[in-house]
Each structure stands twice: as structure tokens, then as C-alpha cells.
Amino acid sequence: MKNIDKLQVMYPELELLQADGFDDAVIGIEPLSGKVIYDIDKMITVLISEGLSNEEAIEYLDYNVLNTYVGEQTPIYIQTIDE
């Protein structure tokens, strides 16, 4: 079961706004707002698996996803810190 499906089971009362095609990049939910949280590195991996280069994937995300506001439930996108 994908993380987005788990969240829908855990929070059936919430309308979870999703970034299309990035189910594999969902890492959780922000508990106060109910916003879905995505890992940007995992989103890049999804796009690379679809045939984009790393640079193309970053450009695509910057232009089409990360800087897009789609209402109060716009997902949260995070960049994790490598250890």
C-alpha cells in the first residue's frame, strides 16, 4: 500500500490534495493543516524514472510543481538533509 493510500485510510475525513504522479514521494502529513508532505528528492527520482535527466527533473519541478499554489491545501514540499 502506498503512503498516500495509508494517509487516506488514517484520515478519511480529510480531503488530501495530491501532486499527480508523485505517490511514491509522499512521506507524511502535516498534522495541524492536513497537508500532504512530499520529499523533493523522491519526486526527482520519479521524474528520472520516467526518462528525464536530473537537471530536467529539477527544472520541471521548479516550474510546474513547487511554485504552484492550488489553494489552502497545497501540499508541502521538503528538501531533506543528507547525513
Side-chain angles (χ1 to χ4, degrees):
M1 180 181 282
K2 294 185 183 246
N3 285 345
I4 193 66
D5 297 325
K6 291 177 187 176
L7 291 176
Q8 288 172 333
V9 170
M10 292 170 59
Y11 302 97
E13 71 282 5
L14 295 178
E15 183 177 336
L16 303 174
L17 190 59
Q18 302 170 48
D20 291 338
F22 294 104
D23 290 352
D24 291 336
V26 172
I27 59 170
I29 191 166
E30 198 285 316
L32 297 176
S33 67
K35 294 179 180 183
V36 178
I37 303 172
Y38 289 86
D39 181 321
I40 294 171
D41 290 330
K42 290 182 180 186
M43 295 175 84
I44 291 169
T45 300
V46 168
L47 292 171
I48 290 171
S49 74
E50 293 176 357
L52 275 66
S53 70
N54 189 66
E55 187 175 294
E56 291 169 331
I58 292 168
E59 184 176 316
Y60 177 88
L61 286 176
D62 282 342
Y63 185 76
N64 296 295
V65 181
L66 303 179
N67 292 310
T68 304
Y69 178 78
V70 290
E72 289 183 22
Q73 290 305 104
T74 297
I76 297 170
Y77 306 101
I78 65 163
Q79 183 71 56
T80 55
I81 299 171
D82 292 333
E83 302 222 2

